[in-house]
């Protein structure tokens, strides 16, 4: 997105300096208000609470302490965080490998088919992800549809335990996040200038080289956006990992959720939340740096 | 002309009422209850009879309820805390004393539920349903005999076990097995049972508090430790799912109705409590949620099938012998940390 905006600005050429009136400020006020109320204030609250203590009933006691952070950097929580990051990484990688060809195919097909195909990607998302996750449970469980099919076709003789395994967790995550990878890449592919590809062929490049030297760099903004859109929410996801994994391998999202409920320790949950936020900011910064260096 | 005038007056009144409604007390009864615990039919019937509208919000743990109540979000009129939460809330002066003259149907409760240790003489709370935590197993796969927790976590069952995703519960089974009273959750006692719990949790396939019956009825697990209501539903689905009250000691939970200090609608809340204590209404609750009904008059209306379900009404079991949880306070965080880290090993 930044690339195209910069390109448009360059194409427009130097514009005469003009002082903006009050009008535009009025126009953005609702958005600024929204950001302040629902992004900045909650984040500040999280930050403040993460330095507080709590009493026996779980009420926050406003006295300053570093204890939540020293506790958060214990090996046992970092290990859980590491597992969550690993799950998110796997999910992102699989989504990229599966989503890229699909996005490319949709983006290069005729305009009439394109709308229909994008619809097909979107339609499942008109249903709540919890219901779709429960559907997976009834497919993958031991007495479920998949095992019944495999055994009827005599492919397996005994039911396979698909459910409540890391496999099931990754499957649930990939299934739920795939469209967030497909859509931004599709947007990049759609904008791809076909004449550049033709030029590459004319200059004697083979398909593999055209892909790696022309198509891939031009669709990189879409890929970067897709990777962020999948990776960030996948780290913090707790509902799908809990349902599909049977709660046996807690992710950092589940741990944080627990602090705010059963563990009665909101300040510690807030500290873990701040750490997670730091990771998100770091990955945003890395990806923007990555994109900038590509431009140069 | 007159018609026009009355309309105007009516509109003005409506406007005034709306304005007044902003600052003054609300006419609806705000019920804050466990999810999947209050049948909609019961609420509809209450509104139909009394004209009192009921708005419902749900929570999925006592701690969530406490957090929202203490944050002062909604002015709830009626909450549904479990026994240890009632105990903590009485101690912190968060509940209103009930006017028992307005709740004559209290007489329907079994005597043993009229004077529970967490709230003697129902001064602040009235039991809704009670339940046990016990062992359920698939008798077609597990030969037995199964008598307690120790028969669940055997090597043969490794990877075929479902238990409640509840750190406090898990710790209490460990304590009971080690012969320690389940409310003695001290650091030393936690250290004592850690090796045992480590061995147990390594064998568990599924942790689920919301619907542990799913893993059993889908065939993904053969044995487990679940709420008695879940065990009752499994038994009703197929008698191959046998229910066992653990020999190590039985934990009973009692969920209650209580009125928070912040409520402005005490009369209506008491009317609701009295309403659900009516035998035919309490039966409606039992029909949907087959836990142990403390309402004797309602139990008289239940079918033999309901009463003979061994998980709902364990034959020959004396409920006064069951153990109740007391409030853990800050120790709750340690219990959660222990179980979370043992799961992540």
């Amino acid at each position: 997105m930044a690339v195209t905006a910069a390109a448009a600005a360059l194409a427009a050429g130097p514009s005469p300096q003009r002082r903006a009136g009050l009008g535009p400020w009025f126009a953005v006020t609702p958005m600024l208000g929204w950001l302040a109320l629902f992004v900045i204030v909650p984040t500040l609250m999280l930050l403040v609470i993460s330095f507080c203590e709590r009493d026996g009933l779980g009420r926050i006691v406003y006295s300053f302490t570093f204890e939540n952070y020293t506790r958060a950097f214990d090996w046992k929580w970092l290990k859980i965080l590491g597992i969550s990051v690993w799950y998110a990484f796997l999910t992102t990688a699989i989504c990229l490998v599966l989503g890229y060809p699909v996005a490319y195919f949709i983006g290069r097909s005729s305009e009439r088919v394109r709308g229909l195909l994008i619809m097909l990607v979107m339609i499942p998302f008109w249903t709540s992800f919890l219901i779709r996750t429960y559907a997976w449970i009834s497919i993958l469980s031991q007495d479920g549809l998949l095992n019944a099919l495999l055994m009827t076709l005599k492919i397996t003789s005994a039911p396979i335990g698909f459910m409540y395994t890391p496999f099931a967790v990754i499957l649930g995550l990939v299934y739920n996040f795939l469209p967030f990878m497909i859509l931004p890449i599709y947007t990049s592919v759609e904008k791809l200038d076909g004449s550049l590809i033709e030029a590459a062929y004319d200059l004697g490049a083979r398909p593999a080289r055209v892909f790696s030297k022309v198509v891939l760099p031009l669709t990189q903004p879409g890929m970067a956006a897709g990777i962020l859109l999948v990776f960030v929410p996948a780290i913090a996801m707790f509902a799908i990992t809990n349902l599909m994994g049977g709660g046996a391998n807690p992710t950092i999202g589940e741990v944080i959720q627990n602090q705010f409920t059963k563990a009665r320790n909101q300040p510690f949950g807030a500290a873990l939340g701040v750490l997670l936020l730091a990771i998100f900011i770091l990955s945003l910064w890395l990806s923007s740096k990555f994109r900038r260096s590509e431009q140069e | 002309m007159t018609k026009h005038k009355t309309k105007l007056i009516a509109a003005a009144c409506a406007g005034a009422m709306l304005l007044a409604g902003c600052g003054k007390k609300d006419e609806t009864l705000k019920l804050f209850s466990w999810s999947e615990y209050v049948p909609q039919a019961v609420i509809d019937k209450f509104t139909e009879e009394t004209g009192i509208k009921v708005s419902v919000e749900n929570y999925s743990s006592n701690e969530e309820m406490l957090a929202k109540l203490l944050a002062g979000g909604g002015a709830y009129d009626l909450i549904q805390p479990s026994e240890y939460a009632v105990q903590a809330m009485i101690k912190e002066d968060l509940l209103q004393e009930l006017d028992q003259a307005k709740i004559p149907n209290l007489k329907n409760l079994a005597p043993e539920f009229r004077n529970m240790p967490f709230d003697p003489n129902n001064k602040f709370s009235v039991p809704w349903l009670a339940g046990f935590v016990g062992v359920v197993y698939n008798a077609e796969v597990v030969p037995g005999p199964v008598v307690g927790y120790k028969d669940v976590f055997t090597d043969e069952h490794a990877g075929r076990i479902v238990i409640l995703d509840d750190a406090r519960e898990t710790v209490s089974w460990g304590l009971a097995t080690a012969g320690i009273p389940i409310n003695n959750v001290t650091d030393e006692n936690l250290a004592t049972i850690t090796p045992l719990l480590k061995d147990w949790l390594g064998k568990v396939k599924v942790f689920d508090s919301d619907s542990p019956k799913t893993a059993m009825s889908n065939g993904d697990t053969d044995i487990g430790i679940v709420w008695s209501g879940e065990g009752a539903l499994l038994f009703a689905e197929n008698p191959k799912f046998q229910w066992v009250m653990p020999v190590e000691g039985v934990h009973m939970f009692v969920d209650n109705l209580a009125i928070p200090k912040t409520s402005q609608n005490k009369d209506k809340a008491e009317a609701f409590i009295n309403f659900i204590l009516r035998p035919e209404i309490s039966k409606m609750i039992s029909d949907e949620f087959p836990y142990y009904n403390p309402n004797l008059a309602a139990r008289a209306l239940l079918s033999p099938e309901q009463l003979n379900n061994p998980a709902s009404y364990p034959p020959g079991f004396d409920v006064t012998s069951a153990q109740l949880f007391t409030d853990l306070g800050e120790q709750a965080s340690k219990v959660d940390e222990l179980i979370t880290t043992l799961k992540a090993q």
Side-chain angles (χ1 to χ4, degrees), chain A residues 54 56-57 59 71 76-77 79-80 141-143 163-164 246-248 255 258-259 261-265, chain B residues 63 66 70 84 88 92 160 165 205-207 215 218-220 327 329-330 333 336-337 340-341 343-345:
Chain A
R54 90 302 183 201
L57 275 190
R59 277 175 294 202
R71 196 179 156 205
K76 52 190 156 199
W77 307 115
K79 192 172 139 199
I80 292 175
S141 62
Q142 181 160 320
D143 297 346
M163 267 311 287
Y164 312 118
V255 171
N258 254 348
Q259 302 310 314
T261 55
K262 285 181 185 149
R264 305 189 201 177
N265 201 342
Chain B
E63 285 71 17
L66 275 170
L70 294 170
Y84 72 90
E92 297 280 334
R160 307 289 302 168
D165 193 7
K205 179 79 168 176
V206 186
F207 296 83
N218 281 348
D220 284 299
D327 187 51
E330 290 191 26
S333 190
D336 179 79
E337 175 169 346
T340 306
T341 47
K343 280 203 274 184
Q345 63 190 332

Side-chain angles (χ1 to χ4, degrees), chain A residues 182-194:
Chain A
I182 293 178
L183 292 176
I185 297 178
Y186 157 78
T187 318
S188 276
V189 171
E190 201 191 13
K191 283 200 222 113
L192 199 64
D193 190 348

Side-chain angles (χ1 to χ4, degrees), chain A:
Chain A
M1 303 305 156
V3 183
T4 46
L10 276 178
S15 59
Q17 280 283 330
R18 208 155 45 99
R19 192 172 279 274
L22 277 176
W25 281 109
F26 278 120
V28 295
T29 301
M31 195 195 72
L32 289 179
W34 175 275
L35 282 178
L37 203 62
F38 294 110
V39 179
I40 296 172
V41 172
T43 309
L44 286 178
M45 278 168 68
L46 197 70
L47 203 62
V48 170
I49 292 172
S50 72
F51 288 106
C52 290
E53 293 174 14
R54 90 302 183 201
D55 69 5
L57 275 190
R59 277 175 294 202
I60 295 153
V61 180
Y62 292 92
S63 60
F64 184 85
T65 176
F66 265 123
E67 198 214 311
N68 299 312
Y69 285 97
T70 47
R71 196 179 156 205
F73 279 106
D74 190 294
W75 175 239
K76 52 190 156 199
W77 307 115
L78 294 179
K79 192 172 139 199
I80 292 175
L81 182 64
I83 293 171
S84 311
V85 171
W86 171 240
Y87 279 168
F89 173 79
L90 274 181
T91 304
T92 313
I94 296 170
C95 279
L96 187 63
V97 170
L98 291 178
Y100 196 95
V102 175
Y104 192 83
F105 176 76
I106 297 176
R108 304 307 283 170
S109 51
S110 78
E111 265 181 52
R112 271 180 48 206
V113 183
R114 220 184 276 171
L116 186 76
L117 290 175
I118 281 294
M119 270 280 271
L120 288 177
V121 173
M122 298 294 292
I123 280 176
F125 289 78
W126 296 356
T127 319
S128 153
F129 77 92
L130 282 176
I131 294 174
R132 284 180 283 115
T133 304
Y134 276 109
W136 271 112
I137 294 176
S138 61
I139 292 171
L140 296 180
S141 62
Q142 181 160 320
D143 297 346
L145 300 171
L146 182 60
N147 271 319
L149 181 75
L150 289 177
M151 280 158 70
T152 314
L153 295 178
K154 305 252 186 278
I155 296 171
T156 56
S157 55
I160 301 169
F162 295 109
M163 267 311 287
Y164 312 118
T165 57
F167 161 79
V169 173
I170 298 290
L171 183 109
L173 288 172
V174 168
Y175 169 72
N176 271 285
F177 286 117
L178 193 54
F180 296 98
M181 185 63 87
I182 293 178
L183 292 176
I185 297 178
Y186 157 78
T187 318
S188 276
V189 171
E190 201 191 13
K191 283 200 222 113
L192 199 64
D193 190 348
S195 54
L196 289 176
I197 298 172
E198 278 168 36
Y201 279 119
D202 284 349
L203 292 170
R206 292 174 180 279
R209 205 169 156 76
V210 173
F211 182 75
S212 67
K213 290 282 168 186
V214 179
V215 177
L216 215 51
L218 285 173
T219 52
Q220 207 189 334
M223 278 163 39
I227 288 171
L228 267 184
L229 284 176
V230 174
F231 185 69
V232 170
I235 297 182
M237 173 53 82
F238 59 87
I240 295 172
T241 53
N242 193 292
L243 284 172
M244 301 293 280
N249 290 299
T251 58
I252 198 72
E254 291 170 53
V255 171
I256 293 176
Q257 187 212 20
N258 254 348
Q259 302 310 314
F260 282 86
T261 55
K262 285 181 185 149
R264 305 189 201 177
N265 201 342
Q266 297 187 35
F268 182 55
L272 289 173
V274 169
L275 284 188
L276 208 51
L277 201 64
I279 293 177
F280 296 159
I281 293 170
L282 190 74
S283 55
L284 260 173
W285 178 71
L286 280 177
S287 85
S288 73
K289 215 180 155 191
F290 171 67
R291 260 185 287 177
R292 224 172 296 145
S293 68
E294 280 299 319
Q295 253 179 286
E296 280 157 13

Side-chain angles (χ1 to χ4, degrees), chain B residues 137 139 141-147 157:
Chain B
Y137 67 97
V141 189
V142 176
V146 176
V147 296
H157 299 147

